[in-house]
């Protein structure tokens, strides 16, 4: 059974832009239709997304000014990951400073020992 992008969106509970984005990215196979649009085989559509029961028109609300809740959750996750990255960088810099100080102490002790023996051997 062949479907248009809007019919496909209703069958899987996605928006038309989500369907066309998947086609353009190669995630969903479809054939271009004369005059614009896409022809999507149902089996290909359901390979990518499961069918939803009680087809509803999710395209209308998605095209409004509302941001889908998934976007807000993803933005928060990105924000938390950036905070974790910044903390990790600060920890790394702290450990790097400590390693440099310890290396300097070791080199200083090595130089002192060489100087000590030089008095007896030289």
């Amino acid at each position: 059974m062949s479907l248009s992008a809007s019919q496909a969106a209703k069958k899987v509970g996605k928006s038309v832009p989500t369907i066309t984005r998947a086609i353009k990215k190669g995630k969903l196979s479809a054939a271009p239709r004369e005059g614009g649009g896409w022809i999507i085989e149902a089996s290909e559509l359901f390979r990518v997304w499961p069918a939803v029961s009680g087809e509803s028109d999710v395209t209308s609300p998605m095209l409004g000014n509302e941001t889908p809740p998934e976007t807000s959750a993803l933005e928060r996750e990105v924000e938390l990951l950036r905070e974790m990255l910044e903390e990790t960088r600060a920890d790394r810099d702290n450990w790097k400073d400590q390693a440099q100080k310890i290396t300097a102490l070791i080199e200083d002790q090595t130089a002192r020992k060489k100087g000590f023996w030089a008095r007896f051997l030289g």
Side-chain angles (χ1 to χ4, degrees):
M1 172 169 69
S2 297
L3 304 166
S4 68
S6 61
Q7 291 169 330
K10 289 177 185 178
K11 296 268 186 201
V12 295
K14 303 290 180 190
S15 68
V16 174
T18 298
I19 300 295
T20 55
R21 209 173 15 253
I23 292 168
K24 291 175 183 175
K25 289 182 177 179
K27 182 178 179 184
L28 176 66
S29 298
R33 195 169 65 183
E34 285 186 33
W38 299 97
I39 299 171
I40 305 161
E41 288 300 319
S43 60
E44 173 63 10
L45 177 68
F46 300 135
R47 177 188 67 80
V48 179
W49 292 290
V52 294
S53 59
E55 296 176 19
S56 61
D57 186 8
V58 294
T59 305
S60 300
M62 295 292 279
L63 294 178
N65 292 332
E66 297 178 20
T67 301
E70 303 89 35
T71 303
S72 298
L74 291 173
E75 287 172 347
R76 178 65 183 142
E77 186 175 356
V78 167
E79 182 182 329
L80 289 172
L81 289 170
R82 286 185 175 145
E83 289 173 10
M84 288 174 59
L85 178 61
E86 196 58 40
E87 289 174 10
T88 303
R89 286 179 174 156
D91 286 346
R92 176 207 58 202
D93 293 343
N94 184 26
W95 285 110
K96 186 177 177 181
D97 289 343
Q98 287 185 27
Q100 288 173 340
K101 289 175 184 175
I102 291 170
T103 302
L105 286 173
I106 292 171
E107 289 172 351
D108 184 49
Q109 291 296 323
T110 305
R112 285 185 185 178
K113 285 183 182 177
K114 286 181 183 174
F116 175 79
W117 290 108
R119 284 184 267 169
F120 296 105
L121 299 173

